[in-house]
Amino acid sequence: MTTAEREAIHRTAARAALGVPGVVALQPALAERLALAASRVFELMGSGAARAPVGAGVRCEIAPDGIWHLEVRCILDEDHRVIDVARRVRSDVSSAVNSYLVQHGAAPPLTARVLVSVTRTIRPAAWGTN
């Protein structure tokens, strides 16, 4: 598994999750937040080469048996039922990643197991003020 392939899985999962109605954003993990903060400092120092981590809010690993394990951390619109949105995120991310694997000739088993963590619910209008 190359870094480019792992990043493609991250992006595929992130796009699928963000496409679900009720998902406001993906919540980066602490390590991703620290990396983003460091990259901003690096940018300010004049390099401009830093960028946000690919797939922030998504963690993925491939097990020795070939099964992908993904965790998607979501911030949801409080006007949507959490259970419904979480189920849809799990379904859409799993379908998107499995489709990606098939399209790119991944070896069987072509399975993605998805865990959805809802980190908080907010009013979307409040998102810019938090």
Side-chain angles (χ1 to χ4, degrees), residues 4-19 26 54-55 58 70 72 89 92-101 103-104:
E5 290 169 323
R6 185 177 299 277
E7 288 178 358
I9 295 292
H10 272 105
R11 283 191 302 273
T12 299
R15 276 194 304 269
L18 289 169
L26 299 180
V54 174
V58 176
L70 294 102
V72 182
V89 168
D92 288 6
V93 168
S94 180
S95 294
V97 170
N98 285 333
S99 293
Y100 176 88
L101 293 171
Q103 290 172 0
H104 291 85

